[in-house]
């Protein structure tokens, strides 16, 4: 058996529906159509009355989910694209994120955001907006980079009593495969060392983990050993694992597919300079998408986002500094 | 004629680069739009890079059997202006001085888009270079109690020769393999004082003085003052006349000495101690001699009382005791001046009145100073004055 990242997400949802009668799925075309990316394929048939089509209103979708959560349910909301979740922003950040603080009633909703760029998708179907949600206290923001994590972390997201923004990368949907689903995983909030190294730490998450791994392979042939930290969860952020890695290497490069301004990479650098200044043997660097809307044209898109090539180039500069 | 880049196209999802297998045309060839130009190979298939427009191949920057990333420029086509305009590539590449043009047109109001206010810092934020110590290196050196001077023997492998933390660890490992003995606390204290002192621009002036009158005067004294005490007393008198040369520069202010307390450098086991004669301008040579001799003895035994060290405004060092005739001593870090005295030697001296050479005993006086506080002229005048005073030892 071989499973893709997308199939793992479908399997996790089936698992959650099977295990917990409080779980239901709500979103545009998630029912008989099986979702825009087929992440809920056949689930409506398998779990009648629990995989429900919503109107085309992200606002209403999240609002309904918050209400259902108050009544004791555990809804999974599917956004067709992360980009559209901002239409439901008010419900997510003002209602869901603050509910427990205001009322002591937990808000166990999971909002699935298919996010990140794919070739030719343009400005409205490519955005990485994890940092915006991470900004708000009360939200958990997860960014799995592997098939195994996609499965295990989605299950854990549903089980958590806090509202979870589950960022699943569209570029990884079909490209990533695993032999089997995991039976255990690291706890939420714990980063993973995706590759061990001694010369430089790359901290990244989601699809960029794979660009970084590719870059590390290239740099390894030049004699550099790159350590890669896969954050898994951008909020909470595992500062300890990051600082421990910088303690081993002395050099930090943060890579994110999101825009640079006030983002996750900026937060990591801020933490490392505050808590581990004396560990740095070079100014910490970061590599992000260009600070422009995401272009349609495949060539422009390829130049807009960090790639293995640009990660390797940035790493080389830092290694030689 | 505009030059249109030939770009490695997106060859399919998840393909980031492709290898150049064959050039299907050569520079100078006329090509039409969509004509196959270069055969490339990905890990999935062999494909062609096509011409973006019609024109003439100007050059290929890509090389055979090399791999290029999607979006990389592989070469250029010389195309007509019309062709370039059709592709939206008829904008001239930016030239130097372009930013000036933008700002001018902005003030004319013809350009309404928001421009970044800062286009790069006026100073390099990542000032790297031989003298750059990273936070990690500094932390590591602090941990081991090292200062920058300890790294002078390390050739850095970092940018512009800076010492990286790896260079440092290799250096430490290398040092540990050699014969090591602990430096005494005195040695470490002297080293630290000299390192701090050396952060200033120091200079030295010198003057030969005849010591015969000093030596004659000394013979008749009991107890006998050391030759350095004559120099010390002369320095004290000269500074009492004008204390400005012994001032210290702190920021944009000169801090004047409160009293003329002058130290004497004494070699003690594995270092130098500096006992201090307080108010050396107010007591005669005769009155100072006993105290001076006592302090020298105590210093040699390393038993100086606390009130006899520190707080001096200048130091006298008699390197003549090592047989040296000339040296450039370093003033203590909290002082501006150090007066040195070389060994006395018999030398021929041309006597104008006798019109012949006569034997005299001559010694070099040197004055090393913080050049921020005084210049060669002021230092020279002070040294001349000291020389004059030493010619009349009975007045000291």
């Amino acid at each position: 058996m071989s499973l893709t990242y997308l199939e793992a997400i479908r399997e996790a949802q089936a698992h959650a529906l099977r295990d917990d009668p409080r779980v239901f799925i709500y979103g545009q075309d998630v029912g008989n159509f099986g979702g825009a990316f087929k992440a809920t394929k056949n689930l409506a048939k398998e779990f009648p009355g629990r995989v429900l089509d919503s109107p085309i209103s992200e606002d209403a979708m999240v609002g309904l989910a918050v209400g259902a959560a108050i009544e004791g349910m555990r809804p999974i909301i599917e956004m067709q694209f992360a980009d559209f979740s901002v239409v439901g922003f008010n419900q997510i950040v003002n209602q869901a994120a603050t509910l427990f603080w205001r009322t002591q009633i937990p808000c166990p909703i999971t909002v699935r955001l298919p996010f990140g760029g794919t070739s030719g998708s343009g400005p409205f179907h490519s955005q990485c907006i994890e940092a915006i949600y991470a900004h708000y206290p009360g939200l958990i923001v997860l960014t799995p980079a592997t098939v195994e994590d996609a499965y295990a972390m989605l299950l854990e997201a549903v089980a958590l009593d806090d509202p979870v923004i589950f960022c699943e990368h569209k570029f990884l949907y079909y490209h990533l495969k695993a032999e089997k689903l995991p039976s255990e995983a690291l706890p939420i909030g714990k980063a993973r060392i995706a590759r061990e190294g001694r010369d430089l730490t790359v901290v990244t998450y989601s699809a960029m983990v794979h660009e970084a791994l590719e870059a590390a392979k290239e740099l390894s042939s030049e004699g550099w050993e790159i350590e890669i930290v896969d954050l898994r969860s951008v909020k909470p952020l595992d500062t300890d694992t990051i600082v421990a890695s910088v303690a081993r290497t002395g050099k930090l490069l943060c890579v994110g597919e999101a825009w640079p301004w006030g983002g996750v990479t900026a937060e990591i650098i801020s933490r490392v300079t505050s808590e581990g200044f004396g560990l740095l043997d070079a100014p910490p660097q970061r590599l992000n998408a260009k600070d422009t809307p995401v272009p349609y044209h495949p060539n422009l898109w390829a130049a807009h986002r960090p790639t293995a090539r640009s990660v390797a180039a940035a790493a080389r500069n830092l290694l030689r500094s | 004629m505009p030059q249109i880049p030939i770009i490695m196209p997106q060859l399919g999802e998840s393909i980031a680069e492709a290898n150049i297998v064959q050039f299907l045309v050569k520079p100078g060839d006329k090509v039409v739009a969509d004509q196959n130009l270069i055969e490339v190979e990905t890990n999935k298939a062999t494909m062609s890079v096509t011409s973006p427009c019609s024109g003439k191949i100007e050059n290929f920057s890509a090389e055979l059997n090399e791999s290029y990333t999607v979006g990389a420029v592989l070469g250029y086509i010389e195309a007509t202006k019309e062709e370039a305009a059709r592709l939206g590539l008829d904008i001239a590449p930016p030239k130097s001085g372009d930013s000036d043009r933008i700002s001018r047109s902005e003030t004319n109001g013809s350009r309404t888009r928001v421009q970044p206010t800062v286009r790069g810092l006026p100073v390099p934020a990542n000032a790297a270079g031989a003298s750059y110590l990273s936070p990690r290196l500094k932390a590591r050196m602090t941990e081991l109690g090292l200062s920058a001077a300890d790294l002078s023997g390390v050739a850095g492998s970092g940018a512009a020769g800076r010492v990286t933390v790896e260079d440092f660890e290799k250096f430490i490992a290398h040092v540990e393999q050699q014969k090591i003995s602990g430096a005494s606390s005195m040695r470490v204290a002297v080293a630290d004082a000299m390192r701090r002192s050396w952060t200033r621009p120091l200079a030295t002036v010198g003057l030969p003085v005849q010591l015969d009158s000093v030596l004659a005067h000394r013979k008749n004294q009991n107890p006998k003052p050391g030759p350095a005490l004559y120099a010390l007393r002369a320095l004290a008198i000269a500074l009492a006349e004008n204390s400005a040369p012994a001032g210290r520069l702190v920021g944009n202010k000169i801090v004047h000495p409160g009293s003329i307390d002058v130290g004497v450098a004494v070699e003690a086991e594995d270092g130098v101690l500096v006992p201090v004669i307080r108010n050396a301008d107010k007591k005669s040579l005769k009155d100072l001699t006993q105290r001076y001799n006592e302090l020298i003895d105590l210093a040699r035994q390393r038993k100086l009382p606390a009130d006899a060290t520190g707080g001096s405004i200048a130091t006298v060092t008699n390197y003549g005791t090592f047989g040296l005739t000339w040296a450039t001593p370093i003033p203590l870090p909290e002082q501006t001046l150090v007066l040195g005295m070389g060994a006395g030697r018999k030398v021929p001296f041309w006597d104008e009145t006798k019109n012949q050479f006569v034997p005299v005993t001559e010694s070099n006086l040197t004055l090393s100073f913080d050049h921020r506080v005084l210049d060669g002229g002021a230092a020279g005048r002070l040294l001349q004055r000291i020389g004059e005073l030493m010619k009349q030892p009975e007045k000291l």
Side-chain angles (χ1 to χ4, degrees), chain B residues 106-128:
Chain B
E106 261 172 356
T107 50
N108 293 340
S110 61
R111 198 183 175 97
T112 53
R113 302 195 62 180
V114 177
Q115 294 293 313
T117 49
V118 178
R119 289 181 181 276
L121 292 168
V123 292
N126 292 341

Side-chain angles (χ1 to χ4, degrees), chain A residues 21-297:
Chain A
R22 298 172 299 175
V23 173
F24 71 96
I25 299 174
Y26 192 50
Q28 295 160 29
D29 287 330
V30 295
N32 290 333
F33 186 70
F37 290 96
K38 303 295 173 196
T40 55
K41 193 177 165 188
N42 295 331
L43 292 182
K45 207 184 290 171
E46 209 176 325
F47 302 96
R50 296 174 65 195
V51 183
L52 307 168
D53 284 331
S54 72
I56 305 178
S57 167
E58 287 74 10
D59 197 15
M61 284 151 59
V62 184
L64 179 142
V66 173
I70 291 171
E71 293 300 319
M73 304 294 278
R74 291 188 171 264
I76 300 172
I77 301 299
E78 178 183 297
M79 296 288 169
Q80 286 205 330
F81 287 85
D83 314 57
F84 309 155
S85 71
V86 295
V87 181
F89 197 56
N90 172 54
Q91 289 293 342
I92 298 174
V93 304
N94 286 332
Q95 298 298 330
T98 63
L99 184 67
F100 181 76
W101 269 263
R102 289 182 285 122
T103 66
Q104 310 301 301
I105 298 168
C107 187
I109 70 170
T110 300
V111 183
R112 287 182 40 233
L113 303 188
F115 88 116
T118 51
S119 184
S121 299
F124 309 130
H125 300 82
S126 302
Q127 293 174 66
C128 299
I129 53 177
E130 62 279 5
I132 295 174
Y133 291 113
H135 187 69
Y136 283 87
L139 298 178
I140 305 286
V141 183
L142 306 182
T143 50
T146 64
V147 177
E148 291 84 351
D149 272 349
Y151 178 80
M153 289 167 73
L154 183 51
L155 277 180
E156 192 146 4
V158 175
L160 277 172
D161 275 350
D162 295 303
V164 176
I165 306 298
F166 190 81
C167 302
E168 43 192 65
H169 204 295
K170 301 192 293 289
F171 191 76
L172 303 180
Y173 270 172
Y174 314 106
H175 290 137
L176 232 47
K177 287 197 171 72
E179 280 313 306
K180 62 179 174 53
L181 292 172
S183 52
E184 55 184 19
L186 287 171
I188 293 291
K190 189 92 187 114
R192 173 178 73 103
I193 304 291
R195 186 184 197 281
E196 287 185 2
R198 55 162 201 268
D199 297 319
L200 177 141
T201 295
V202 173
V203 177
T204 186
Y205 54 100
S206 194
M208 288 297 127
V209 169
H210 303 282
E211 300 295 331
L213 284 166
E214 198 59 35
K217 214 187 284 174
E218 186 178 325
L219 291 162
S220 181
S221 68
E222 296 167 25
W224 305 107
E225 291 307 328
I226 310 302
E227 180 145 307
I228 296 170
V229 177
D230 168 12
L231 290 177
R232 299 173 75 246
S233 141
V234 300
K235 189 172 193 177
L237 186 62
D238 184 0
T239 314
D240 290 352
T241 297
I242 297 167
V243 171
S245 177
V246 175
R248 287 189 283 275
T249 64
K251 286 176 176 153
L252 173 65
L253 172 65
C254 299
V255 181
E257 189 183 330
W259 292 301
W261 237 102
V264 173
T265 52
E267 178 66 25
I268 296 162
I269 289 184
S270 164
R271 289 183 185 212
V272 170
T273 45
S274 299
E275 295 176 31
F277 189 66
L279 302 172
L280 290 165
D281 194 38
Q285 301 291 339
R286 60 190 178 132
L287 186 65
N288 287 87
K290 303 280 186 292
D291 198 7
T292 73
V294 183
Y296 279 108
H297 195 285

Side-chain angles (χ1 to χ4, degrees), chain B residues 169-240:
Chain B
E169 297 300 348
K170 274 184 210 155
F171 167 68
I172 293 297
H174 176 69
V175 163
E176 278 167 359
Q177 284 165 11
Q178 303 184 30
K179 186 188 165 194
I180 293 175
S181 62
S184 68
S185 53
M186 182 139 172
R187 192 68 252 148
V188 171
V190 171
D192 187 54
M194 289 302 104
R195 178 186 61 76
R196 283 187 285 131
S197 193
W198 197 247
T199 58
R200 305 172 298 175
L202 302 172
T204 300
V205 291
L207 178 74
V209 292
Q210 288 177 19
L211 278 188
D212 301 274
S213 48
V214 165
L215 295 176
H217 181 266
R218 183 172 181 257
K219 227 176 252 175
N220 301 324
Q221 305 296 311
N222 187 25
K224 279 184 190 164
L229 185 58
Y230 287 87
L232 184 150
R233 178 70 186 141
L235 172 66
I237 292 168
L239 287 178

Side-chain angles (χ1 to χ4, degrees), chain B residues 138-383:
Chain B
K138 281 184 189 163
R140 189 78 174 101
M141 286 162 65
T142 307
E143 195 182 354
L144 298 175
L146 304 188
S147 66
D150 296 310
L151 297 188
S152 59
V154 187
S157 69
R162 78 147 175 129
V163 176
T164 67
V165 82
E166 288 88 18
D167 297 331
F168 179 78
E169 297 300 348
K170 274 184 210 155
F171 167 68
I172 293 297
H174 176 69
V175 163
E176 278 167 359
Q177 284 165 11
Q178 303 184 30
K179 186 188 165 194
I180 293 175
S181 62
S184 68
S185 53
M186 182 139 172
R187 192 68 252 148
V188 171
V190 171
D192 187 54
M194 289 302 104
R195 178 186 61 76
R196 283 187 285 131
S197 193
W198 197 247
T199 58
R200 305 172 298 175
L202 302 172
T204 300
V205 291
L207 178 74
V209 292
Q210 288 177 19
L211 278 188
D212 301 274
S213 48
V214 165
L215 295 176
H217 181 266
R218 183 172 181 257
K219 227 176 252 175
N220 301 324
Q221 305 296 311
N222 187 25
K224 279 184 190 164
L229 185 58
Y230 287 87
L232 184 150
R233 178 70 186 141
L235 172 66
I237 292 168
L239 287 178
E241 290 162 7
N242 174 20
S243 68
R248 281 185 300 140
L249 187 73
V250 180
N252 58 357
K253 303 211 163 42
I254 299 281
V255 182
H256 291 271
S259 56
I260 311 295
D261 301 343
V262 182
V264 192
V266 178
E267 193 191 26
E269 182 190 340
D270 204 28
V272 177
L273 286 179
V274 183
V276 178
I277 308 283
R278 306 280 170 202
N279 297 307
D281 58 325
K282 302 225 166 77
K283 288 173 207 150
S284 69
L285 184 80
K286 195 171 164 53
D287 296 339
L288 287 175
T289 307
Q290 198 187 340
R291 176 68 175 155
Y292 175 84
N293 290 345
E294 265 173 35
L295 286 176
I296 301 268
D297 276 348
L298 288 170
R300 286 195 178 125
Q301 297 164 38
R302 301 181 61 182
K303 283 181 183 160
L304 274 180
D307 65 341
T309 58
S312 56
I313 63 160
T315 301
V316 175
T317 177
N318 183 6
Y319 48 77
T321 55
F322 312 122
L324 304 173
T325 56
W326 176 262
T328 57
I330 297 172
L332 289 175
E334 67 274 21
Q335 295 178 357
T336 293
L337 303 172
V338 57
L339 179 66
M341 193 176 191
R345 291 175 301 163
K346 279 269 192 251
V347 292
F349 176 75
W350 183 257
D351 191 322
E352 291 287 351
T353 52
K354 291 180 184 165
N355 215 19
Q356 67 178 54
F357 281 105
V358 295
V360 297
T361 306
E362 192 180 271
S363 157
N364 285 314
L365 285 185
T366 58
L367 186 69
S368 301
F369 57 96
D370 179 349
H371 211 323
R372 297 175 309 152
V373 181
L374 59 161
D375 304 315
R381 281 189 292 278
L382 175 61
L383 194 55

